[in-house]
Amino acid sequence: MPKLLIRNGRVIDPAAGRDEAADVLIENGTIVTVGPALEAPGAEVFEAAGLVVAPGFIDMHVHLREPGAEHTETIETGSRAAAAGGFTSLCPMPNTSPVNDNPTVTRFIIERASRNAVTNVFPIGAITRESAGEKLAAIGSMKKAGAVAISDDGQPVMNARLMRRALETAMSFDLPVIQHCEDLTLSAGGDMHEGSASTRLGLRGIPGCSEDVIVARDILLAEATGARYHVAHVSTRGSIELVARAKARGLPVTCEATPHHMSLADSDMPPYDSNYKMKPPLRSREDVAALVEAIASGVVDAIATDHAPHAGSEKMQEFERCPFGVIGLETALGVVLEALYHTGKVSLARVVELFTAGPARILRLDRGTLAPGAPADVTIFNADLPWTYDLNRSFSKSRNSPFDGRTFRGGPVATIVDGLIVWRRD
Ligand SMILES: [Zn+2]
């Protein structure tokens, strides 16, 4: 395998406490050295002056739609969109068809990824069989097959007794439990956040408390069991406060935030535009401000896209009938830099941490760092580069994004997986 020398970049590696001008030398898919003025005769040179050189970004929450809905995304197309967004590792949620609730499906995803994906793929298994919320899935054997966490994402585990058993079982296999926090009895029939915007548009609302009550219940269960518990796509001030309090008490509770929830509010949605329809819904301005504050203060552990491809035909029905979800792999870094860094709220090192060391810690992956010996996953980005997102040139098979035509300040420049450049901005 060839040598690659990334020269003169600003190396930000939060896991190693590093933020300085340096070179990075890669050999045989592994980080060899990070330091000033490295010599590497015969190496391919990547000139990174003016660019940030970071550990490869990890997206711990995506939907790749394979198996079952390959017309909207495949492991291959999803991974190509990911690479173009600076991501080197993806964790696909189990709500495929069939659901990833047993080791056969887990192995199928890993095997497809090894042949077709340009990024690493670490599958997340289901908590319950078919994510139906009735009986536990084959958690131990999915872990053996390679699952890095369990979740019924798309659905909450509504039954508290079952959730308690899921936490106990996950703990015995040393896996985190990722919850999609939505009390279905409170959110039933809702299409957007319950507030003045939903009233104005005459749409049924999904109240913030539908998220908060599940987070509150689960934190009590996490405390009772001692299990690792992770809140997916946290979106309300209430649930942020609950997570902050749990952390302050030393509980193993973590959470992630999506780029869309930290940048858009319910009132930003053009009337009945289904490219702004997702779960949890875009919340109020106050919730968005609370989320940005929680990211800055360290309550939020990771940024995850919740990339959720849907066919145009599904998203072009009347608003109430449209499925929930937006794509987000290619726009994540641009949106995040704009919402957090260029507003002066969050440092660049912290932004990098949320994409790298943060998710790696939650999932206990041997990634998210440029330490010598680590797999050579590297994301190179420009924090100021202006670029415009053109959906028609997306690598994703789907087009459901609220950011088409947006010009961003800052975005990925090159993505390196296991020492190979898998995407480069042209
Ligand atoms: Zn979800």
Side-chain angles (χ1 to χ4, degrees):
M1 227 182 206
K3 290 190 224 173
L4 177 63
L5 178 64
I6 306 168
R7 216 159 53 182
N8 298 319
R10 173 179 169 189
V11 177
I12 301 182
D13 183 4
R18 185 192 292 273
D19 183 352
E20 63 192 4
D23 300 346
V24 177
L25 179 61
I26 293 167
E27 210 176 322
N28 297 322
T30 303
I31 306 284
V32 177
T33 334
V34 180
L38 299 181
E39 298 284 345
E44 179 188 350
V45 173
F46 188 107
E47 197 51 61
L51 304 176
V52 174
V53 179
F57 288 6
I58 300 162
D59 191 344
M60 65 177 292
H61 187 150
V62 298
H63 300 273
L64 297 180
R65 305 303 190 212
E66 184 180 358
E70 290 86 350
H71 64 293
T72 63
E73 200 77 288
T74 63
I75 290 168
E76 178 177 2
T77 59
S79 79
R80 287 192 183 280
F87 292 100
T88 58
S89 294
L90 302 177
C91 302
M93 284 295 178
N95 61 338
T96 46
S97 182
V99 170
N100 181 14
D101 63 0
N102 68 77
T104 307
V105 181
T106 310
R107 277 193 294 266
F108 169 84
I109 293 167
I110 290 172
E111 193 268 333
R112 293 295 276 195
S114 72
R115 271 195 289 163
N116 299 335
V118 298
T119 61
N120 307 298
V121 173
F122 302 106
I124 293 171
I127 298 174
T128 65
R129 280 190 225 169
E130 298 187 2
S131 287
E134 283 162 13
K135 288 187 173 140
L136 289 185
I139 294 168
S141 42
M142 285 190 294
K143 155 111 185 191
K144 261 192 219 110
V148 296
I150 53 171
S151 179
D152 275 353
D153 184 57
Q155 295 291 323
V157 178
M158 280 292 285
N159 182 309
R161 189 175 67 92
L162 195 58
M163 185 62 181
R164 179 189 176 192
R165 285 188 48 220
L167 288 161
E168 286 166 351
T169 307
M171 191 168 76
S172 70
F173 293 109
D174 195 23
L175 288 170
V177 179
I178 303 174
Q179 178 78 296
H180 166 114
C181 298
E182 175 188 359
D183 186 310
L184 298 172
T185 64
L186 287 166
S187 65
D191 289 303
M192 69 178 293
H193 177 61
E194 182 182 285
S196 52
S198 66
T199 305
R200 203 164 48 243
L201 295 170
L203 291 169
R204 278 191 285 179
I206 299 171
C209 63
S210 64
E211 179 170 317
D212 308 347
V213 297
I214 296 293
V215 175
R217 180 202 75 178
D218 285 355
I219 287 172
L220 294 172
L221 294 174
E223 180 164 24
T225 57
R228 287 192 281 147
Y229 172 70
H230 179 80
V231 179
H233 41 51
V234 69
S235 74
T236 65
R237 176 189 295 272
S239 48
I240 289 162
E241 282 170 5
L242 289 161
V243 170
R245 260 184 272 157
K247 287 187 162 197
R249 283 167 48 230
L251 299 178
V253 171
T254 54
C255 69
E256 75 197 21
T258 75
H260 48 271
H261 287 114
M262 68 183 79
S263 60
L264 296 170
D266 56 349
S267 52
D268 292 323
M269 181 180 89
Y272 314 106
D273 186 337
S274 66
N275 291 324
Y276 289 70
K277 179 177 178 181
M278 73 289 285
K279 272 190 178 177
L282 297 175
R283 299 291 188 185
S284 70
R285 286 253 171 266
E286 293 70 41
D287 290 312
V288 175
L291 185 56
V292 171
E293 180 48 43
I295 294 166
S297 71
V299 171
V300 172
D301 301 90
I303 290 170
T305 65
D306 194 8
H307 177 82
H310 289 289
S313 54
E314 295 166 29
K315 275 292 203 181
M316 276 180 317
Q317 308 173 81
E318 58 187 301
F319 191 84
E320 288 94 329
R321 297 173 65 93
C322 288
F324 294 88
V326 294
I327 60 171
L329 286 165
E330 291 161 306
T331 49
L333 180 59
V335 173
V336 166
L337 288 172
E338 201 172 277
L340 303 180
Y341 173 61
H342 291 304
T343 51
K345 299 209 162 87
V346 176
S347 72
L348 211 46
R350 174 86 178 119
V351 167
V352 170
E353 184 177 28
L354 290 159
F355 276 116
T356 59
R361 261 196 303 269
I362 296 163
L363 301 171
R364 306 212 169 140
L365 301 177
D366 64 338
R367 313 260 161 176
T369 177
L370 297 174
D377 293 350
V378 185
T379 297
I380 301 175
F381 68 95
N382 182 327
D384 292 292
L385 173 84
W387 65 281
T388 302
Y389 181 52
D390 178 359
L391 250 183
N392 289 319
R393 297 184 59 205
S394 172
F395 285 96
S396 172
K397 278 195 175 186
S398 290
R399 294 288 177 266
N400 49 313
S401 164
F403 298 115
D404 187 28
R406 260 287 261 287
T407 296
F408 293 104
R409 182 177 167 199
V413 171
T415 306
I416 296 166
V417 177
D418 284 328
L420 296 173
I421 300 175
V422 297
W423 175 83
R424 196 167 185 163
R425 186 175 293 279
D426 43 48

